[in-house]
Amino acid sequence: MPVDVVIRTERLSRTFSHGGSQQHVLRNLDLEVERGSFTVIMGPSGAGKSTLLYALSGLDRPSLGRVEVDGVDISGLDEDALARFRRDHCGFVFQQVHLLDQLSVIDNLMVIGLLVERGRARVRERCDRLLDLVGLPEADRGKYPAMLSGGEAQRVGIARALVGRPAAVFADEPTGQLNSEHSTAVLDLLSEVHEDGQTIVMVTHDVHSAARADRVLYLRDGRISEECALAGAADRRTEELTAFLAEMGW
């Protein structure tokens, strides 16, 4: 069967001007991400991991090359069209959850849902299903973000990322500020939505987080130097990934 590619790049490059010189962060990068896959991007500090994630999701524009997401070449879209595309096709989970403080939990989801779908009752039903999925009790859905723990807020952030039925969810160090218990809960949730068919692309420096993926890309000097396919039980994946990273000089 032909591979269903949801993200494709061709000669993707990103250059920044710094102190009168050019800093080449991404260099002629060709990449394909299959629909329904869980891909992790790792590499040393300064390798371009977050820059790649932002380029793939339309949060940043490449200097050269092209990025195609869900069959659309987003490289040439104007700012308004790109913002609409991100709204309709991409979900985002960051280290900082960025929930709207003045809105309740349910309204943080509803405001996204109503942008991409008509029918308040249908949107509310979907938001409630997603909050059920992330394990937030109904009694807590009227709370404001400041009333949530870090782990609760991040789980709400994942639910919000899924409201628009995105082609891909892009996660940048989603457990970076969580304790081990909350990190495990968030990773369990990401694994669950992936098993349900959701495409996930995640940047992390944590081996245990990365071991949830089925593919790990190792970025060095703006290029994918190697990649590692993971399969089997979690402990086996962690062992395979640890050996792979040791070969990379991690």
Side-chain angles (χ1 to χ4, degrees), residues 22-245:
Q22 297 293 306
Q23 181 183 8
H24 300 281
V25 180
L26 301 176
R27 303 169 182 263
N28 297 322
L29 196 149
D30 294 333
L31 172 63
E32 290 186 348
V33 176
E34 293 184 24
R35 194 178 303 276
S37 64
F38 191 160
T39 299
V40 158
I41 303 167
M42 301 187 78
S45 178
K49 302 183 293 297
S50 291
T51 301
L52 175 56
L53 190 80
Y54 295 164
L56 296 180
S57 62
L59 287 174
D60 189 24
R61 291 186 179 274
S63 303
L64 294 170
R66 63 191 297 271
V67 179
E68 183 181 294
V69 181
D70 210 19
V72 176
D73 182 356
I74 66 173
S75 311
L77 298 180
D78 63 32
E79 291 301 325
D80 288 342
L82 187 58
R84 289 193 297 271
F85 183 86
R86 289 195 302 264
R87 179 194 69 192
D88 295 342
H89 296 268
C90 303
F92 298 95
V93 182
F94 299 108
Q95 211 175 113
Q96 298 285 348
V97 186
H98 301 300
L99 296 172
L100 298 174
D101 292 336
Q102 68 273 28
L103 296 182
S104 66
V105 166
I106 188 65
D107 285 339
N108 263 277
L109 272 65
M110 289 289 293
V111 73
I112 301 298
L114 290 170
L115 287 173
V116 298
E117 184 178 343
R118 293 183 179 181
R120 188 175 184 87
R122 288 196 304 274
V123 172
R124 176 60 191 251
E125 182 181 357
R126 175 160 176 77
C127 292
D128 279 327
R129 285 202 307 269
L130 288 169
L131 291 171
D132 287 341
L133 173 67
V134 304
L136 192 76
E138 189 170 347
D140 291 341
R141 297 174 191 182
K143 289 182 177 180
Y144 289 86
M147 303 166 71
L148 303 176
S149 69
E152 288 172 332
Q154 191 60 285
R155 286 187 281 130
V156 171
I158 293 172
R160 182 186 57 183
L162 297 170
V163 168
R165 298 181 176 87
V169 169
F170 299 90
D172 192 3
E173 299 282 7
T175 63
Q177 296 191 6
L178 302 179
N179 62 31
S180 59
E181 180 183 357
H182 288 156
S183 293
T184 298
V186 166
L187 292 169
D188 287 345
L189 178 57
L190 287 172
S191 296
E192 184 175 348
V193 299
H194 165 242
E195 289 170 4
D196 198 40
Q198 178 65 60
T199 306
I200 299 174
V201 182
M202 181 172 77
V203 166
T204 185
H205 68 278
D206 180 68
V207 174
H208 294 287
S209 298
R212 300 298 185 108
D214 44 38
R215 180 193 190 196
V216 175
L217 307 176
Y218 193 83
L219 206 65
R220 181 186 283 124
D221 298 328
R223 296 185 175 93
I224 298 172
S225 60
E226 295 288 345
E227 66 176 84
C228 177
L230 299 175
D235 55 348
R236 188 184 310 162
R237 290 185 179 207
T238 301
E239 184 178 338
E240 290 177 3
L241 181 56
T242 300
F244 168 76
L245 292 174

Side-chain angles (χ1 to χ4, degrees), residues 15-23:
T15 303
F16 296 95
S17 296
H18 181 70
S21 61
Q22 297 293 306
Q23 181 183 8

